């Protein structure tokens, strides 16, 4: 494994003092890239990879929009295969959905021309769950 690269620099000011500083270039953390199988699908084995999906966030939708309407719109726009559609809780009155489509259809689904004006489409961000400790609020401090 390569070691950190260290560069020493020396500067002089007024000819009397000498200042030395060190610049350290950190190496990136190791990545566990794993392997990816290359063997063709064998019917005798029945083991195969899942279809790759693209997950998109569709937001700023009218409050009357439902999953069925959104799925119909995507199919009408030429998105093929199974479409997973799940409504997401929002703070305002508008609605938002998380959709899963075939990875090959992601470019078509992110084309602005297939979406009505004002609708927001972007890659869905899967967030890790945050674990919260004990909250000290009014109910915990009253005696």
């Amino acid at each position: 494994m390569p070691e950190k690269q260290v560069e020493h620099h020396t500067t002089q000011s007024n000819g009397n003092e000498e200042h030395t500083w060190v610049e350290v270039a950190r190496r990136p953390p190791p990545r566990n890239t794993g392997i990816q199988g290359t063997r063709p699908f064998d019917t005798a084995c029945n083991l195969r990879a899942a279809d790759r999906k693209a997950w998109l966030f569709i937001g700023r939708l009218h409050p009357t929009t439902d999953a069925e309407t959104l799925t119909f719109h995507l199919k009408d726009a030429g998105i093929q295969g199974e479409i997973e559609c799940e409504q997401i809780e929002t703070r305002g009155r508008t609605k938002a959905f998380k959709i899963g489509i075939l990875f090959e259809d992601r470019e078509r689904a992110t084309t602005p021309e297939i979406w009505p004006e004002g609708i927001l489409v972007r890659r869905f961000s899967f967030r890790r769950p945050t674990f919260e400790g004990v909250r000290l609020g009014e109910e915990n401090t009253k005696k």
Side-chain angles (χ1 to χ4, degrees):
M1 223 178 239
E3 292 297 318
K4 296 178 185 176
Q5 296 176 354
V6 179
E7 294 182 30
H8 295 278
H9 300 279
T10 304
T11 59
Q12 290 185 353
S13 60
N14 297 336
N16 299 334
E17 297 179 32
E18 196 173 284
H19 299 285
T20 303
W21 52 281
V22 178
E23 183 178 328
V24 178
R26 300 190 188 272
R27 65 178 169 221
R31 293 173 55 176
N32 184 4
T33 55
I35 64 162
Q36 190 169 6
T38 57
R39 182 174 156 188
F41 175 67
D42 183 6
T43 55
C45 178
N46 284 333
L47 183 65
R48 64 180 186 165
D51 292 331
R52 193 169 175 199
K53 289 209 174 240
W55 294 93
L56 299 174
F57 171 86
I58 314 294
R60 296 185 186 158
L61 294 163
H62 192 272
T64 60
T65 307
D66 59 4
E68 186 179 333
T69 305
L70 181 57
T71 303
F72 179 79
H73 176 77
L74 289 166
K75 288 185 179 186
D76 193 45
I79 306 301
Q80 303 293 317
E82 180 186 358
I83 299 172
E84 293 183 40
C85 187
E86 177 185 333
Q87 185 174 340
I88 299 172
E89 234 178 87
T90 60
R91 292 184 185 169
R93 292 184 34 180
T94 61
K95 284 195 176 178
F97 291 86
K98 171 180 80 170
I99 63 164
I101 58 173
L102 291 177
F103 192 75
E104 296 80 28
D105 288 332
R106 80 186 185 293
E107 284 188 36
R108 175 79 180 130
T110 55
T111 304
E113 291 79 24
I114 70 166
W115 296 101
E117 186 176 346
I119 291 179
L120 175 66
V121 179
R122 67 175 178 231
R123 195 173 127 205
F124 185 80
S125 175
F126 288 93
R127 300 180 193 249
R128 293 184 178 170
T130 56
F131 299 102
E132 297 180 15
V134 176
R135 287 190 166 205
L136 297 175
E138 292 179 24
E139 69 268 1
N140 292 339
T141 57
K142 290 183 181 178
K143 293 184 179 179

